[in-house]
Amino acid sequence: QVQLVESGGGLVQPGGSLRLSCAASGFTLGDYTIGWFRQAPGKGREGVSCFSRSDSRTYTADSVKGRFTISGDNAKNTLYLQMNSLKPEDTAIYYCASSRRPRGRDCLSRGWYDLWGQGTQVTVSS
């Protein structure tokens, strides 16, 4: 079965850290462009960070640059998002996604993606 499954979300205090995981099954994640997205209550789904297969580069939204880092483990077929210095405005449901289509910085745009995980909730609050 082709799917993505996120984990690692939870409740964390401002300034804290979390590492999200996205495990792929039924396909090889490294063959695709892959990204992390988030959706806060009442807002649209926005791109957080992605790795573009077309140019082998990582792209990160300005709102999280310097705090969030995307990485992957090909042996585990898993994508990660390390989130440091978390802020209340980072509270959202976080999703991973994969596609062959996005090129370059387009990988931050949700419309290109075909396969999505179910999401994991991240809440930053004291």
Side-chain angles (χ1 to χ4, degrees), residues 12-121:
V12 63
Q13 293 187 341
S17 298
L18 281 176
R19 188 177 79 157
L20 305 183
S21 299
C22 170
S25 58
F27 69 105
T28 301
L29 196 58
D31 292 341
Y32 290 75
T33 286
I34 47 182
W36 284 100
F37 294 79
R38 67 184 182 185
Q39 187 164 13
K43 295 187 177 181
R45 193 169 298 188
E46 64 172 350
V48 175
S49 188
C50 57
F51 177 78
S52 175
R53 181 56 55 191
S54 68
D55 58 7
S56 298
R57 290 183 60 181
T58 296
Y59 296 88
T60 302
D62 288 343
S63 59
V64 303
K65 196 167 292 183
R67 300 188 297 121
F68 290 12
T69 303
I70 190 173
S71 65
D73 186 329
N74 288 334
K76 295 183 177 180
N77 211 25
T78 299
L79 178 70
Y80 301 102
L81 183 69
Q82 178 67 43
M83 306 186 296
N84 299 327
S85 302
L86 283 160
K87 305 176 180 180
E89 52 263 44
D90 295 319
T91 295
I93 300 174
Y94 284 71
Y95 301 88
C96 61
S98 66
S99 176
R100 290 189 182 274
R101 296 186 293 158
R103 299 187 66 81
R105 194 171 182 84
D106 281 348
C107 69
L108 283 175
S109 299
R110 64 178 182 174
W112 293 102
Y113 287 83
D114 311 300
L115 181 66
W116 293 83
Q118 84 289 348
T120 185
Q121 176 72 48

